[in-house]
Amino acid sequence: MHRSIEEKWWYRWGTLLVRGCEIFLTWRKGRRERRIARQQRHNNLVEWIKAFLWAAVMVLLINQYALQAYQIPSGSMRTTLVEGDRIFVGKGIYGPELLPGIVKLPGIKEPQRGEVVIFENPSYLSRGIVFELAQRFIYMLTLSIIDIDRDATGQQRAHFLIKRMVGDSEEYVRIEQGEFLFRAAAQRQWVSEEELMQITSLSYTTHRLVEQRSYNEMQTIARLLALQDLDAPLSSQQSELLADLWNIQHIDAIFLEGERESELFRAEPYNSLYASYVQRYRIGWYIPKGYMLPLGDNRDNSRDGRYFGVVAKKRVLGRARIKYWPLRRIGIIK
């Protein structure tokens, strides 16, 4: 009896060979397709990385040389700017920094009276150039959302301040009852800030916590706080007045004024403490050429030029231009 062709040994082996070839070719094709897919995924990842780096570079360049995002940390500029406002600061006009915190390019103009400007805090203690560069890059890349420059309690350290330029170079400035008076070096007449705004056609609004009639009492208490801070002897009447301090309104403004008085008093021996006060608050103090006096619009609660002194105009990094967040406060900064 003859065997069918399916039963012949050479047919079975041929069938197995064909199937083996099919399996091998299918596996090889699948491997090639998987390799191509991996390469495509890898290329996509590379493209995403390239796109992110390009976007990061563009954000850094724009922030560093043209328009930087900045978040308002305190209420010292109320009501022009309030805590949490996010703004854009124009940096090109005064000369941007070539590298953050290292080299500053010359600007096309100097800061002008009445402008809201951002500048390096004269009281800031740097943690080193490496940390400063890292902090600035992260701050700019995240559009001011992330700031790693914080103290031991987690509070943001004030590397930059934003204030209004009020006193200009080669002027004398003095304070009476919380009001500022100005006099040009070549003149003898003092003018109030309101009169100065009229003369220079400026228009901005300051915010006051303390009524002018209450300022004498506030300054008296502030001086006592300053003397206490210096461990100077106080009379029983002065001590009683300080004991009632917590019942007085505007205590934050009083303490801030007390700090300013302490700084003034520290410059002189105890037997001539008030000489410094008289020089600065009665005769007035001089703003040298190339410097400015920055003040907060919230005049009774602002750590400004009254606290740390005048600031070199070359330390100004930019001018506040636009509020962009929150949406209800969008607008031009004046």
Side-chain angles (χ1 to χ4, degrees), residues 149-293:
D149 192 9
R150 297 183 178 274
D151 60 22
T153 64
Q155 297 297 315
Q156 182 178 333
R157 299 173 73 224
H159 189 173
F160 304 104
L161 299 176
I162 185 163
K163 309 291 180 187
R164 190 180 298 277
M165 176 180 162
V166 178
D168 206 349
S169 299
E170 301 181 274
E171 289 182 343
Y172 287 91
V173 183
R174 75 182 188 193
I175 304 174
E176 289 184 0
Q177 302 291 309
E179 299 292 336
F180 285 84
L181 300 176
F182 301 85
R183 176 173 69 83
Q187 298 177 350
R188 304 188 63 178
Q189 182 179 359
W190 293 89
V191 296
S192 67
E193 186 174 4
E194 185 177 351
E195 292 172 327
L196 186 62
M197 284 194 289
Q198 293 176 352
I199 294 171
T200 56
S201 300
L202 293 174
S203 178
Y204 56 86
T205 303
T206 58
H207 181 66
R208 300 299 304 269
L209 294 173
V210 182
E211 295 181 7
Q212 193 166 359
R213 58 186 176 83
S214 303
Y215 216 85
N216 280 334
E217 180 186 26
M218 192 187 86
Q219 281 194 324
T220 299
I221 297 172
R223 292 170 201 161
L224 293 179
L225 284 171
L227 292 172
Q228 184 184 58
D229 183 54
L230 294 170
D231 296 324
L234 300 178
S235 67
S236 57
Q237 183 179 5
Q238 290 173 328
S239 298
E240 289 176 4
L241 185 58
L242 282 180
D244 294 332
L245 176 64
W246 301 103
N247 298 321
I248 299 174
Q249 290 184 326
H250 312 302
I251 191 170
D252 288 341
I254 292 172
F255 272 115
L256 187 59
E257 189 68 19
E259 289 186 38
R260 295 183 186 124
E261 296 284 344
S262 295
E263 292 298 318
L264 295 178
F265 291 164
R266 287 181 193 280
E268 301 290 339
Y270 175 69
N271 59 5
S272 60
L273 286 175
Y274 285 95
S276 175
Y277 173 81
V278 170
Q279 169 65 31
R280 193 164 186 178
Y281 281 78
R282 290 291 178 264
I283 301 175
W285 71 95
Y286 180 68
I287 304 175
K289 185 176 181 179
Y291 284 75
M292 66 170 188
L293 177 66

Side-chain angles (χ1 to χ4, degrees), residues 12-28:
R12 291 198 298 270
W13 280 104
T15 302
L16 289 175
L17 182 61
V18 171
R19 288 180 180 176
C21 290
E22 288 177 349
I23 293 172
F24 173 75
L25 292 174
T26 302
W27 171 81
R28 191 173 67 171

Side-chain angles (χ1 to χ4, degrees), residues 89-97 104-105 107 109-112 115-120 160-161 163 165 290-292 294 311-320:
V89 176
K91 300 181 71 174
I93 191 169
Y94 302 142
E97 294 172 302
K104 191 172 183 293
L105 299 174
K109 61 173 289 190
E110 287 189 336
Q112 303 296 309
E115 294 178 345
V116 178
V117 297
I118 184 172
F119 54 92
E120 295 182 24
F160 304 104
L161 299 176
K163 309 291 180 187
M165 176 180 162
Y291 284 75
M292 66 170 188
V311 173
K313 291 182 178 180
K314 65 182 181 180
R315 309 300 289 182
V316 176
L317 301 178
R319 179 181 177 183

